[in-house]
Amino acid sequence: MDLHSMNDRQKAAEGICARLRAHGHRALLAGGCVRDLLLGVAPKDWSRPAVRADAAWAASDGKAAAPLPRTVIWGSSAPAEVALPPIDRAAIAAEDALAAARSRGRMRRIGIFVDVPGGVWIAGAETSDGAWRSTPDGGAVWQATLEADGAEAVRVEFAELALPSGGQAVVYNADAPSEAYGPYDGSGVGLWAATCFGPRVTVECYVADWAARDDVRLVIDRAIHVYVPFGALAWAKAEVDDSCWIDVNCRPEWATLKNAVAGMGTVATEGYIWCTGTLIADLDETTERPLFLTAYHCLDYDGYGASYAQSTADSLEIYWLYQTDACDGTPPDPTDVPRTSAGAEFLAGMPDWSGNDFALVRLRRDPPASAVFAGWDAEAPQTDAAVSCIQHPNGSYKRISVGAVSEIDANYVDVVWSEGVTAVGSSGSPLIDAGSDRVIGQLLGGYSYCDTPQAPDTFGRFDVTYAVIASYLRGEGFEDEEPEPEPDPEPEPEPEPGNGGDVILSLFGCAPAASGKAQTASAGDVGLWFGAVVALATVGRARRR
């Protein structure tokens, strides 16, 4: 086995086998770890941190009161002003058009990185711009406003943020302070604050009178300049025509399931990226784990691996209920829709070149109360099956396409639309079986446009995804939901040194036995299996929150 293709856990497993072989045993790697090596799938991490549920936020449908900046409360605000460099819109438009022509993937870039000249920083009492000012409660506050001329929105990255107890940071729209996000009161590196919808964003740092101000460290050296207005996006010439797009609210049969689909913004190497995804149900109707399904290329377009996908997931923002309130009605302002901006934990995924282009994440914050958990079907798809796709084409409000499965291969299904199409920004959106209203795939990309509606779009098969994520759908491996410990099993007899006993290690993967029982070479073998998954075709049911 090629050790260069293995990660640390897999190398450790191979090391165990090597030591066993050195003592005369026959030791093999088997099951899910072999699958993971062949598919390039990262092994499951059983130490994921607990998700903090925010019941008040969910009950308010994601519209709980924003954190009001201290300087707004006290009526005193004189932040330092920092101008961000202008962007080259002509060059950006050319890059976007070229990207659209070269790739069938349907993710959408809506913003680019801009450097903060000289950086904005705090190191205790010292600051790069502005100064600490005393507050009426005896504490101290510092502010700086970053302006990106002509930007539709700005998103700031804390390259470093370390705050003492009693300290917090808030970002807000300098021209509309009621649009505020935070507080960010922990420590981190590479933390992306929520998007502020306007060209000017103010960063405020506050410390209480008893807090150790000398311990404050804050560095901002880049931001995202969002150059595309939500809901009015222009792309390549072929996509300007949206005459065939269908408002999802014109199809009342999807009135419930539409609320499982949401727009998602992530920070990747290309800039700020827009895709679509789906909140999916697990197999326990008593739980509401926020599992979100999308396309892998929305998190890791260039295939850097699981660590990069996690770093992208850390920046994830989910825009819920971005849809009209009636057929062909007025779309909402994106600043008015519920949004979760705390990122997510990357659980599993496969790129398109070695799998079916899926990614599953667990949101770090609960969705709003109106969100619906979509059901899914792990049976193999059928040719000519009637299907639909709910999506956010071009980052705009929610639309729907209707068609039928035209072709099927080992990892993907092709779909031809009879009504509606997809567009950039639709990547990751669900393929829904019209007969059962269950998810059977997620969008990789395609060639459908209003002037070529019969060109096929391609979706990764959910039954292929299921083989990898079944343990998560069963609720296994989440640290905040530890099962009751099972009684210790009877110890297996240890083979005598040199007796040729077999040891089969299957780490962090799924057991291949269809019966659900681990397969070993003989009755005297020792079998060690972790997180066994039985690849059965299981159907989930849609649930309201």
Side-chain angles (χ1 to χ4, degrees):
M1 186 169 291
D2 182 10
L3 291 178
H4 294 290
S5 65
M6 305 174 100
N7 58 40
D8 291 341
R9 287 190 180 93
Q10 292 160 333
K11 289 178 182 178
E14 177 60 22
I16 293 171
C17 289
R19 291 195 296 275
L20 289 166
R21 295 187 196 108
H23 287 81
H25 302 292
R26 185 166 66 93
L28 306 171
L29 295 176
C33 61
V34 177
R35 174 209 62 202
D36 292 347
L37 282 170
L38 294 175
L39 297 179
V41 176
K44 180 175 176 178
D45 184 352
W46 293 89
S47 61
R48 293 288 182 189
V51 173
R52 292 184 178 179
D54 189 340
W57 184 90
S60 71
D61 229 8
K63 296 181 180 179
L68 198 61
R70 303 276 174 158
T71 47
V72 174
I73 296 173
W74 292 313
S76 172
S77 179
E81 300 280 344
V82 179
L84 300 178
I87 64 173
D88 187 338
R89 291 183 177 270
I92 292 169
E95 290 175 3
D96 288 348
L98 183 61
R102 285 182 172 177
S103 174
R104 67 172 179 167
R106 301 223 143 171
M107 99 185 157
R108 170 69 161 111
R109 185 174 74 170
I110 61 175
I112 65 167
F113 299 111
V114 290
D115 293 329
V116 178
V120 170
W121 53 267
I122 303 173
E126 298 182 7
T127 64
S128 62
D129 300 85
W132 288 100
R133 302 197 315 278
S134 297
T135 60
D137 65 351
V141 68
W142 167 93
Q143 286 183 303
T145 295
L146 282 63
E147 181 172 2
D149 186 42
E152 299 293 333
V154 177
R155 192 174 185 191
V156 170
E157 180 189 30
F158 294 107
E160 181 180 355
L161 182 64
L163 299 173
S165 176
Q168 65 177 35
V170 171
V171 299
Y172 64 91
N173 186 331
D175 300 317
S178 61
E179 186 197 345
Y181 305 99
Y184 304 98
D185 54 6
S187 298
V189 176
L191 169 66
W192 285 94
T195 302
C196 286
F197 286 89
R200 301 172 70 242
V201 57
T202 298
V203 181
E204 176 188 282
C205 184
Y206 166 81
V207 291
D209 59 344
W210 47 268
R213 189 172 66 178
D214 287 344
D215 292 342
V216 174
R217 295 292 184 274
L218 181 151
V219 177
I220 299 171
D221 55 16
R222 66 174 179 169
I224 291 284
H225 179 129
V226 177
Y227 58 89
V228 180
F230 283 59
L233 304 175
W235 184 251
K237 290 182 179 179
E239 298 240 352
V240 172
D241 180 12
D242 62 359
S243 60
C244 67
W245 295 0
I246 303 172
D247 184 346
V248 70
N249 273 322
C250 294
R251 297 301 171 93
E253 63 269 30
W254 301 104
T256 298
L257 190 56
K258 72 185 180 189
N259 289 344
V261 180
M264 51 180 282
T266 60
V267 177
T269 54
E270 298 83 3
Y272 193 47
I273 304 302
W274 180 274
C275 283
T276 304
T278 310
L279 186 67
I280 62 171
D282 61 23
L283 293 172
D284 184 349
E285 294 192 6
T286 66
T287 64
E288 294 180 347
R289 299 181 187 91
L291 302 179
F292 197 77
L293 178 70
T294 188
Y296 184 82
H297 73 264
C298 292
L299 301 181
D300 182 19
Y301 187 80
D302 294 313
Y304 292 118
S307 295
Y308 180 85
Q310 178 59 70
S311 69
T312 305
D314 287 335
S315 70
L316 183 64
E317 288 188 301
I318 305 292
Y319 293 78
W320 304 96
L321 313 178
Y322 186 24
Q323 58 210 28
T324 61
D325 56 5
C327 178
D328 293 330
T330 301
D333 188 306
T335 64
D336 292 335
V337 302
R339 180 170 22 138
T340 56
S341 56
E345 297 297 326
F346 174 73
L347 299 178
M350 288 194 294
D352 64 315
W353 58 88
S354 63
N356 68 332
D357 191 47
F358 89 88
L360 182 71
V361 301
R362 185 184 188 186
L363 304 181
R364 293 185 179 129
R365 195 174 187 184
D366 286 342
S370 293
V372 170
F373 290 78
W376 41 265
D377 195 334
E379 295 282 359
Q382 302 297 314
T383 305
D384 298 327
V387 292
S388 294
C389 175
I390 300 173
Q391 56 187 293
H392 285 280
N394 265 0
S396 65
Y397 63 91
K398 208 168 289 179
R399 309 302 217 285
I400 189 169
S401 306
V402 178
V405 173
S406 59
E407 292 186 28
I408 303 173
D409 66 19
N411 288 317
Y412 295 98
V413 298
D414 280 355
V415 174
V416 173
W417 305 115
S418 55
E419 297 179 83
V421 293
T422 65
V424 289
S426 300
S427 279
S429 54
L431 182 65
I432 304 166
D433 179 78
S436 64
D437 294 350
R438 295 187 176 103
V439 175
I440 60 170
Q442 70 286 329
L443 180 64
L444 164 65
Y447 304 99
S448 68
Y449 299 100
C450 286
D451 58 354
T452 56
Q454 296 300 306
D457 285 341
T458 301
F459 292 78
R461 291 172 49 170
F462 185 83
D463 60 316
V464 176
T465 298
Y466 176 79
V468 182
I469 69 171
S471 59
Y472 291 111
L473 297 178
R474 291 202 306 269
E476 298 173 359
F478 295 112
E479 191 177 67
D480 57 330
E481 299 170 5
E482 291 291 341
E484 291 293 324
E486 296 182 1
D488 292 334
E490 291 295 323
E492 295 279 353
E494 295 187 7
E496 295 294 330
N499 72 354
D502 296 336
V503 176
I504 300 179
L505 301 180
S506 176
L507 298 181
F508 314 105
C510 65
S515 65
K517 297 180 180 179
Q519 295 175 338
T520 52
S522 68
D525 296 337
V526 180
L528 303 178
W529 297 87
F530 296 82
V533 173
V534 184
L536 302 177
T538 306
V539 178
R541 292 182 288 176
R543 303 200 303 272
R544 282 186 180 273
R545 284 186 53 79

